[in-house]
Amino acid sequence: MICCLMSATAFAQHKAQIDANRLPVLAPHYQPEYTFDEPMAAAAWKEVGSGLHAAVGSTELAYFRAEVPSQNIHATWEATGWRNERLNTQLLVWSPDSLRQVRFTVSDLVNADGKRISSQHAKLHLVRYVLSNYPYGAKDAVCEGSPYKQGFLMPDRFEDFDRFDLPGSTTRPVWLSLDVPGNAAPGQYTGTVLVHTERYTDTLQLKIRVQQQVLPAPHDWQYRLDLWQNPWAVAWYNHLEPWSAEHKVLLKKHLQLYADAGGKYITTYGVHSPWSDNSYMIEGGMIEWIKQKDGSWKYDYHIFDDYVEMAMALGIDKAITIYTPVPWGNRFRYTDAATGNHVYEQWAPGTATYRARWHDFLNDLRAHLEKKGWFEKTYLGINENEMEQTLAAIKVIKAHSPKWHITYAGNWHQELDTLLDDYCYLYGNEPTDPQQRQRSARGATTTFYVCCNPPVPNNFVFSPPVEGRWISWYSFARGYDGFLRWAYDGWPEDPVRDARHGSWPAGDCYLVYPGGNSCIRFEKMREGIVDYEKMRILKAQAAASGSKTVKRSWLALEQHLKLFAAEHDFKEEKITADVDKGRALIATLSDELMR
C-alpha cells in the first residue's frame, strides 16, 4: 500500500510543471568560456616538452584552445609602422601541464639613441573563446540556418586580465597592441616581453621599426565606417533602464571603440522597431510620434538629441542616419494622446496616408535638424526593400525637399544611382568600375557591406581573421569610400560565450562585446581601415612627388590592388599573402617619400 502511494505521488501532476527533458542543464558555477572542445591531434600534446612554452604568433591566424600551435610562431615580434599607428600581435602560451599564475611584463622599447617608447603604450588582452555554429573557415554559411549540428569554439573576445591559470594540454592567445606615439622618433626599437608562471619564465623579443610618416587621429580618417548601433541592447544586457544615467555612462565607453576605429555614422531610429523584431532587444524609436487630441501631430526628440550629442562628443560626428521611411511590413507606431495607447498602423509608400504623415514629419524633422545644425549631415536611411516601395518613398522625400540626403543599403540598381547621395552595395551585387567612377566623379559617396551573406569575405567569428583586414583593401581597390556592417552590438542571449543568433552565422550580429570590449574581428577590421588611410595619404603624396622611384612604387601598389578587386576563391593563404605584400609595398613607399 505504501509502495502504491509513493508511485502515485511520483507521477502526480503539479501546477507550473515543466517536462524534465526541457530543463536546461545547470553548470556547477559560471564559466567565462566553454571548454568542451576536443583536440583533432591529441597525440601532438605528447610530443610537447613539459613546462611553459611561449611564442609570438600571427594576428592573421586563429589559434585554437585544444591544439598545439604550429603555424607562424616565432621568438621575436618584428613590425613596421607609422607614428600614431596601432600595431598588433598575438602572444601564445601552451603546455601539456597545468600552469598557474601566467602573467606578462612588457618592457619599454628603446632605440640606438636611447629614445624610448614607454611600456604604457602597450596593452594586453586575454583572448577568450566563443561558440560558433560553423567551423573555422567555413565557406557555406547562409542566412537560413547552419547545416552543422555541432558547435565550434573560436578565439575572439578580449578580456582585461592580471594573470590566469592555464589548464594542461591547452593554448591561450594574448593580444598585444602597441600604440606608437605620434611624437616617437623614427628608428628601430627593441624590447622584451617576460612571460612568468609560478615555476617558469620565458622571454620574447620585440623589434619595432617606426617610420617617419604620421597617421592622423581616427576622427580625421576619411574612411566612412558605418556600424549600425542598438543602444537599447546595452541597457538590456546590463539590466538598466534605457536612457538612465547609468545607461549613458556605459554607452559612452561602448561607443568609444567605434570612435577609436574612425566611426562616421550615428545610427538613429525615427520609427519604432524598423526591422522585424528579430533582435534580443529591439531597436526602439528615438523620435516619438504623438497624435494629439485635436488630430495634429507632435514629435519628441529628446532621446534622439541625447544620443546624437553623446556620439558627437566622442568624435562620431560626420553623419547621422535616421531609419527608416520604409520599415518592415510598412509598420509605424505612434502614441494616441487621447488614450495613452500605442497604436500600430501600416502606411505603405505611395499611399495618401503615407504622403500626409511623412510630409508632416519631415516638416518638423527638418526644422529640428536645422535648429541643431545637423541637417546637412543627416541621411534618411532605406535598407534592402522592394524597388517599388523604395522608389515611392524616395519620391515622397524628394517632393518634400530635394535637399534631403538619402542613403540606401542593398543591391546595385541603376535606377537608384542618381537618387542616392550615399549608396552601400551588398558585396557581390555591385556596379561596374565605370559606373562607380561616375558616382565618385559627381561627389556621391559609396560604401559596401556584408551581412549574413556572402560567406566570404566576412567578419563572422569563424572567418579567418585576415578577411576582416582584406575588406578595406577591397574597398580601396574598387574606389569605395568605406564599409558598412549590421551590426555593431546586436547581442544574442549570452554574447560573451555564445556568438550564435538564431539562424544567422555566429558573429553576424555584433562586432564588439559587452563592457566596451574589443575582439580579434574588430581589431582586424580596424587594421584594414588604417591600411586604407595610409594608401589614401600615400596616393596624394606620390601624385605630388617628382621622384621616379616614388612613381614606380605607387604604380606597383596600384597594380597589386587589382588582385583584390578580382578575388573570388578566398583561399586563406592567398589573401594573407596579398595583404602582406601590400603592406610591404606601403612600407617601402612610406620610406621613399620621406627621403
Side-chain angles (χ1 to χ4, degrees):
M1 183 68 177
I2 295 174
C3 178
C4 293
L5 288 172
M6 290 178 64
S7 178
T9 301
F11 292 100
Q13 292 289 319
H14 298 280
K15 292 180 179 179
Q17 182 170 306
I18 298 173
D19 189 301
N21 293 324
R22 301 180 67 181
L23 290 174
V25 177
L26 297 177
H29 54 78
Y30 182 79
Q31 296 174 290
E33 64 186 356
Y34 291 116
T35 57
F36 46 64
D37 51 327
E38 298 179 357
M40 291 187 63
W45 285 106
K46 297 179 180 179
E47 305 298 322
V48 178
S50 181
L52 170 68
H53 297 267
V56 176
S58 168
T59 63
E60 314 291 13
L61 297 172
Y63 296 94
F64 297 97
R65 205 187 74 88
E67 307 298 329
V68 179
S70 59
Q71 288 185 293
N72 208 333
I73 55 175
H74 307 279
T76 302
W77 178 32
E78 297 188 56
T80 297
W82 290 12
R83 293 184 286 178
N84 217 34
E85 181 178 354
R86 177 178 299 167
L87 302 175
N88 300 309
T89 192
Q90 288 195 90
L91 309 178
L92 307 171
V93 292
W94 68 98
S95 177
D97 317 306
S98 294
L99 302 178
R100 294 177 58 82
Q101 300 194 49
V102 183
R103 56 203 185 275
F104 300 78
T105 302
V106 182
S107 75
D108 289 349
L109 295 165
V110 185
N111 70 6
D113 297 325
K115 302 289 186 182
R116 289 180 177 270
I117 296 176
S118 170
S119 61
Q120 293 180 350
H121 295 285
K123 295 179 182 178
L124 293 164
H125 289 99
L126 192 73
V127 177
R128 288 287 188 186
Y129 292 84
V130 296
L131 190 60
S132 168
N133 53 357
Y134 284 87
Y136 179 72
K139 295 185 179 181
D140 55 350
V142 292
C143 302
E144 291 77 24
S146 173
Y148 299 91
K149 303 304 179 185
Q150 309 92 334
F152 309 89
L153 284 180
M154 299 292 147
D156 191 48
R157 177 171 65 90
F158 288 178
E159 184 177 290
D160 291 338
F161 75 103
D162 172 61
R163 62 195 66 203
F164 59 87
D165 294 339
L166 182 75
S169 299
T170 66
T171 295
R172 177 63 60 182
V174 171
W175 192 271
L176 171 59
S177 294
L178 176 67
D179 288 315
V180 180
N183 61 355
Q188 185 78 44
Y189 290 78
T190 60
T192 59
V193 177
L194 295 181
V195 188
H196 316 263
T197 74
E198 274 187 338
R199 298 177 55 196
Y200 306 100
T201 302
D202 201 352
T203 303
L204 301 173
Q205 302 297 320
L206 308 177
K207 293 184 179 179
I208 306 299
R209 187 167 73 89
V210 177
Q211 297 181 286
Q212 190 170 339
Q213 296 268 13
V214 180
L215 185 71
H219 176 267
D220 299 321
W221 296 349
Q222 293 186 20
Y223 190 97
R224 294 178 73 86
L225 177 62
D226 185 3
L227 303 178
W228 288 7
Q229 307 120 51
N230 179 355
W232 286 270
V234 176
W236 162 73
Y237 183 83
N238 292 283
H239 308 289
L240 295 173
E241 179 185 351
W243 309 109
S244 63
E246 296 84 357
H247 180 208
K248 292 177 183 178
V249 168
L250 289 181
L251 272 178
K252 289 177 182 178
K253 181 182 179 184
H254 180 71
L255 285 173
Q256 189 64 60
L257 278 176
Y258 182 45
D260 288 346
K264 295 292 184 292
Y265 292 78
I266 306 169
T267 307
T268 67
Y269 300 93
V271 300
H272 179 78
S273 189
W275 318 129
S276 58
D277 298 342
N278 52 9
S279 298
Y280 278 79
M281 172 50 68
I282 61 174
E283 301 87 347
M286 291 181 174
I287 303 171
E288 185 70 23
W289 297 42
I290 304 166
K291 186 177 183 180
Q292 302 193 95
K293 293 179 181 179
D294 63 1
S296 63
W297 290 80
K298 179 182 178 182
Y299 307 93
D300 184 342
Y301 296 95
H302 81 275
I303 294 176
F304 175 83
D305 290 349
D306 283 355
Y307 189 65
V308 171
E309 288 167 359
M310 179 190 302
M312 287 188 171
L314 295 171
I316 310 164
D317 57 7
K318 296 296 188 295
I320 304 165
T321 308
I322 300 177
Y323 291 105
T324 173
V326 191
W328 178 82
N330 300 319
R331 178 189 61 181
F332 293 87
R333 190 189 85 173
Y334 63 87
T335 299
D336 185 347
T339 65
N341 294 333
H342 286 153
V343 179
Y344 293 85
E345 293 184 1
Q346 287 184 310
W347 306 334
T351 63
T353 302
Y354 181 94
R355 288 193 295 271
R357 292 283 61 77
W358 271 84
H359 184 84
D360 188 83
F361 174 56
L362 292 176
N363 276 340
D364 201 80
L365 177 62
R366 179 171 178 175
H368 183 79
L369 293 171
E370 288 178 337
K371 181 179 179 181
K372 302 291 284 188
W374 297 341
F375 181 73
E376 289 302 322
K377 62 180 62 178
T378 296
Y379 295 79
L380 300 177
I382 303 175
N383 178 54
E384 294 179 337
N385 276 279
E386 295 178 6
M387 187 52 52
E388 181 180 356
Q389 291 189 338
T390 298
L391 289 171
I394 292 174
K395 183 177 180 180
V396 170
I397 295 167
K398 293 296 186 182
H400 181 270
S401 172
K403 293 186 178 181
W404 280 109
H405 300 309
I406 302 175
T407 181
Y408 178 84
N411 293 342
W412 162 254
H413 298 283
Q414 181 73 57
E415 57 266 49
L416 290 179
D417 181 25
T418 57
L419 299 175
L420 302 173
D421 304 272
D422 182 79
Y423 203 153
C424 183
Y425 321 123
L426 176 61
Y427 178 86
N429 291 274
E430 304 159 75
T432 63
D433 286 338
Q435 289 170 325
Q436 174 54 33
R437 285 194 291 270
Q438 288 177 0
R439 279 193 63 78
S440 298
R442 66 173 183 267
T445 55
T446 304
T447 59
F448 82 103
Y449 74 102
V450 296
C451 52
C452 59
N453 66 89
V456 290
N458 219 299
N459 313 89
F460 305 134
V461 295
F462 56 87
S463 300
V466 69
E467 287 185 19
R469 189 169 198 166
W470 185 95
I471 279 170
S472 293
W473 283 80
Y474 177 79
S475 188
F476 194 92
R478 288 300 313 271
Y480 298 160
D481 298 291
F483 176 66
L484 174 151
R485 207 187 194 297
W486 182 87
Y488 183 62
D489 49 13
W491 293 325
E493 182 180 6
D494 186 9
V496 300
R497 299 189 302 174
D498 191 342
R500 299 173 301 164
H501 190 304
S503 65
W504 298 321
D508 173 43
C509 304
Y510 64 108
L511 278 169
V512 297
Y513 285 83
N517 288 316
S518 188
C519 63
I520 291 176
R521 294 178 294 141
F522 191 79
E523 294 301 318
K524 295 307 296 182
M525 180 194 70
R526 189 184 188 279
E527 286 179 351
I529 294 170
V530 169
D531 294 338
Y532 182 106
E533 283 299 301
K534 291 167 78 170
M535 287 188 283
R536 177 187 63 79
I537 293 167
L538 293 174
K539 181 178 181 179
Q541 291 178 349
S545 173
S547 166
K548 292 182 179 179
T549 301
V550 166
K551 300 289 188 186
R552 283 194 299 268
S553 292
W554 175 253
L555 287 175
L557 181 55
E558 271 194 330
Q559 186 66 28
H560 182 63
L561 283 165
K562 293 179 181 179
L563 296 177
F564 294 86
E567 182 61 53
H568 296 292
D569 296 330
F570 289 96
K571 293 180 179 179
E572 185 178 355
E573 298 81 3
K574 164 68 164 51
I575 63 173
T576 299
D578 288 344
V579 169
D580 287 346
K581 181 178 178 180
R583 291 169 56 204
L585 290 169
I586 286 175
T588 297
L589 184 54
S590 300
D591 288 335
E592 290 172 350
L593 280 160
M594 293 294 103
R595 288 173 186 159

